[in-house]
Amino acid sequence: MKEEVFYGKGMERVKEEDGDLYQAIVALNDAVWNGKALDYRTQKLIAIGIAASNGDSRATEKQISSAKNELGITREEVEDVLKVVLLTSGMQPFNKALQIANKVFE
């Protein structure tokens, strides 16, 4: 379900030049997205909310896009998450994330 995809700009170089560090990051990724108490879909929705709350446009777009493509997460589910962002983080991160969601779901 989840893929070994890291969006950090330096990760490809880490993979090539420091295999041990890269494998440690892969192991951490697997430990985080393990779905013991929360399923991966729920974890992904939380990740969207966190990225949006931080005002990180790039991460928000990557999270929404991968949620849509990997899990079939709907616009309505993302909008529910963004309502929580509005309540907890304010109008600016909400508006920014809503614009990104509009772009991803067009």
Side-chain angles (χ1 to χ4, degrees), residues 25-64:
I25 293 168
V26 168
L28 177 61
N29 187 62
D30 290 343
V32 169
W33 299 109
N34 64 22
K36 288 182 180 177
L38 297 175
D39 65 7
Y40 181 48
R41 182 182 192 86
T42 303
Q43 290 176 315
K44 197 66 162 170
L45 290 167
I46 291 168
I48 291 169
I50 292 169
S53 291
N54 286 334
D56 186 336
S57 297
R58 185 173 181 268
T60 302
E61 184 171 354
K62 296 290 185 187
Q63 290 294 340
I64 294 172

Side-chain angles (χ1 to χ4, degrees), residues 14-27:
V14 169
K15 185 176 182 179
E16 293 170 4
E17 295 180 3
D18 193 343
D20 290 340
L21 177 59
Y22 184 79
Q23 288 307 313
I25 293 168
V26 168

